[in-house]
Amino acid sequence: MTSVAPFRIGHGYDLHRLEPISAGRARPLIVGGIRLPHDHGPISHSDGDALYHATTDAILGALAQPDIGQLFPDTDPRHESQDSAAFLAEAVSRARAAGWLVINLDATVILERPKLAPVKEQMRANLARLLDVPTDRVNVKGKTHERVDAVGEGRAIEVHAVILLGRA
Ligand code: MG
């Protein structure tokens, strides 16, 4: 069968350990390009934006290209403290180069606190801008982990992202 299918679907997943910022190793908590007020932050080589990372991996996955860790290794000093919007922009430009456009994104952020609701619309707007789609094609859902396991105990943030690409 030839590859004439008009759609590609991709799934991305990311998790970052969260530690108290006062301990000195964690970065400020940034999700979907928004800095959240919190006393814990991610341990990460880049800025640790798990929503941007999962979305990047969803696109790369749909393209069947190397994943974010392969393209932007955390051993590369160029990515130290990197704004993760750059990773997402690179994935979108790879999609375009391969003849694909983003149709829609559905993402779930699992974070015990703080609540995402106050900034969810800003996250959607940031993602829509980077993905070059209208905001109504981007969905961000916030969930807690019901206080169980590492995520529920506030020791990690987890994100799932599903993306649909269509022929440009
Ligand atoms: Mg990550």
Side-chain angles (χ1 to χ4, degrees):
M1 193 173 138
T2 54
S3 64
V4 293
F7 302 109
R8 300 291 289 262
I9 193 167
H11 171 258
Y13 167 80
D14 196 29
L15 179 147
H16 281 266
R17 193 166 74 247
L18 299 176
E19 289 189 357
I21 290 171
S22 60
R25 292 199 318 141
R27 298 178 177 281
L29 181 59
I30 295 176
V31 182
I34 306 292
R35 184 166 169 171
L36 299 175
H38 196 30
D39 56 355
H40 280 55
I43 300 298
S44 177
H45 185 66
S46 70
D47 71 1
D49 190 325
L51 179 51
Y52 279 1
H53 292 180
T55 304
T56 300
D57 251 352
I59 295 172
L60 295 171
L63 299 173
Q65 291 200 10
D67 66 30
I68 189 170
Q70 292 171 286
L71 288 183
F72 311 106
D74 63 8
T75 49
D76 187 336
R78 281 177 305 170
H79 305 136
E80 170 92 42
S81 305
Q82 171 79 60
D83 177 347
S84 297
F87 302 150
L88 187 46
E90 170 65 19
V92 170
S93 101
R94 282 170 174 252
R96 255 193 219 115
W100 299 98
L101 293 173
V102 173
I103 294 181
N104 75 303
L105 165 72
D106 185 21
T108 304
V109 178
I110 309 160
L111 180 67
E112 206 60 22
R113 62 191 174 89
K115 292 286 177 212
L116 295 187
V119 292
K120 216 191 276 183
E121 292 310 310
Q122 291 174 65
M123 290 177 182
R124 290 177 71 201
N126 283 346
L127 284 161
R129 190 183 64 249
L130 286 161
L131 299 174
D132 198 20
V133 297
T135 314
D136 66 1
R137 296 211 233 146
V138 174
N139 192 44
V140 176
K141 303 185 295 298
K143 288 189 68 68
T144 73
H145 209 265
E146 295 287 325
R147 299 203 301 270
V148 297
D149 297 337
V151 178
E153 290 163 7
R155 293 187 287 117
I157 178 174
E158 205 171 25
V159 179
H160 295 269
V162 176
I163 205 149
L164 189 66
L165 306 181
R167 271 290 170 209

